[in-house]
Amino acid sequence: MPSLKSRFFYYAVKRQLRKFALRGGSLEQVRAARDKSSQRMFPAPQGVQVQAAQLGDCPGEWLRPAGASVDSVILYLHGGAYITGSCHTHRGLAGHLAKAAGLNCFLLDYRLAPEHPFPAAVEDAQAVYLALHAQNPHRTIVLAGDSAGGGLALALALRLRDADHTAPGAMALLSPWTDLTLSLPTHQSKAAVDPFFPDTSTLSMAAQLYVGNAGLKQPLVSPHFASLDSLPRTLIHVGEHEALLGDAQALAAKLQAAGTSVQLQEFQGMWHVWQIFAGRFAEANTSVKQLGAFLRGA
């Protein structure tokens, strides 16, 4: 049974997103508004140092919890449907995950579509991963990402595998978006209860902006259509009330069939990337704690 506090946040988010959608605005205005509100609502948690940095010629931030282990590092890839999202929107979530894992985390500010369509985001993720590896070849690199960032983490792992690079130690995926064709049943059946995606229009528009002249079924665009063998062990967290539930379920089944160690946990009553509210209600804290422990153990 979901906690009362989580239900309050669920309806508050649903109401706020409905108001936000009615305002409209250009993509630039949407990005600016989300950056501004997120800096106020989702700051880095206490005890986590924030440092702007560049790796592999890509901008981002180091999130450094006090007493972090030096044996592993997290590369975090933010969500936002490949067209929004930044260090500002995800500093809080990535910081809470870094703190739970006891690991330093690099939060990548990868290039966004439509200005920079596929494969720009994948190229940025790979450049940063290889830069992290070059800094310390003996350190384990683990991947984490939410929504589009979860799909991007998978695409990065696939690209590293196919190029015979050192594999990540593990992947923690939060409500990953893996099927940009929107062919899975929950894209429709869960729309009514999903605060973010009450229909497929937003995701469909974002997918087209992201792929540009590429195809939606390309494996690095939609890992749902990829061969998923020889990937790192993976933990997937997804909510009951989200349109991307089917993406997570199908991904877990495909990884298991390919022989990859995978765990899928579905959280009753939760919505898309509810973990951003870590520190505010129990289900967000529980998920982040479990994801952090998984990454720490890689």
Side-chain angles (χ1 to χ4, degrees):
M1 178 72 68
S3 66
L4 287 176
K5 187 172 284 190
S6 75
R7 299 310 295 162
F8 168 81
F9 275 94
Y10 170 78
Y11 287 110
V13 167
K14 199 168 188 178
R15 183 173 61 252
Q16 189 62 33
L17 288 174
R18 190 180 297 117
K19 288 181 181 178
F20 194 78
L22 291 174
R23 290 188 201 135
S26 67
L27 181 56
E28 291 76 14
Q29 289 171 325
V30 169
R31 289 173 179 169
R34 289 182 176 175
D35 280 355
K36 183 178 179 180
S37 64
S38 295
Q39 288 182 79
R40 182 182 72 254
M41 294 179 61
F42 306 115
Q46 188 174 3
V48 175
Q49 180 188 34
V50 180
Q51 177 187 9
Q54 280 209 336
L55 283 176
D57 293 326
C58 299
E61 290 180 350
W62 277 109
L63 304 172
R64 302 184 186 275
S69 169
V70 297
D71 296 329
S72 300
V73 64
I74 302 170
L75 171 55
Y76 194 94
L77 304 171
H78 67 74
Y82 297 109
I83 60 172
T84 67
S86 67
C87 289
H88 298 307
T89 60
H90 281 71
R91 185 178 296 133
L93 174 52
H96 277 285
L97 182 61
K99 189 173 183 179
L103 299 175
N104 292 322
C105 172
F106 188 79
L107 172 58
L108 171 60
D109 218 345
Y110 58 85
R111 290 173 290 170
L112 300 175
E115 299 92 333
H116 304 284
F118 173 83
V122 184
E123 292 172 346
D124 288 356
Q126 181 175 355
V128 170
Y129 182 93
L130 295 179
L132 286 170
H133 183 69
Q135 283 182 350
N136 185 348
H138 303 293
R139 178 177 56 186
T140 300
I141 304 172
V142 294
L143 305 181
D146 66 280
S147 193
L152 183 56
L154 277 163
L156 172 59
L158 291 167
R159 190 157 182 171
L160 294 169
R161 178 199 66 187
D162 293 344
D164 291 325
H165 289 303
T166 302
M171 291 192 293
L173 307 179
L174 295 65
S175 305
W177 187 22
T178 65
D179 177 15
L180 273 66
T181 72
L182 305 179
S183 65
L184 295 166
T186 60
H187 294 147
Q188 301 285 345
S189 65
K190 291 289 185 177
V193 295
D194 190 321
F196 285 87
F197 309 119
D199 56 55
T200 60
S201 61
T202 298
L203 288 176
S204 180
M205 176 270 293
Q208 291 298 331
L209 291 176
Y210 177 57
V211 299
N213 295 323
L216 289 171
K217 287 190 176 182
Q218 286 194 71
L220 298 187
V221 170
S222 292
H224 178 70
F225 301 102
S227 173
L228 299 179
D229 58 284
S230 304
L231 291 181
R233 67 190 190 97
T234 302
L235 175 60
I236 306 167
H237 281 191
V238 68
E240 176 191 15
H241 290 335
E242 60 173 303
L244 299 188
L245 174 61
D247 293 57
Q249 292 170 333
L251 173 62
K254 287 174 178 286
L255 285 170
Q256 187 174 35
T260 296
S261 175
V262 58
Q263 303 172 54
L264 171 66
Q265 185 165 350
E266 300 176 20
F267 282 72
Q268 183 182 11
M270 294 301 104
W271 60 97
H272 192 58
V273 196
W274 73 97
Q275 298 93 337
I276 201 165
F277 290 103
R280 296 177 184 175
F281 61 85
E283 292 87 347
N285 296 339
T286 296
S287 176
V288 169
K289 182 178 180 181
Q290 291 176 0
L291 292 162
F294 174 78
L295 293 175
R296 184 171 63 247

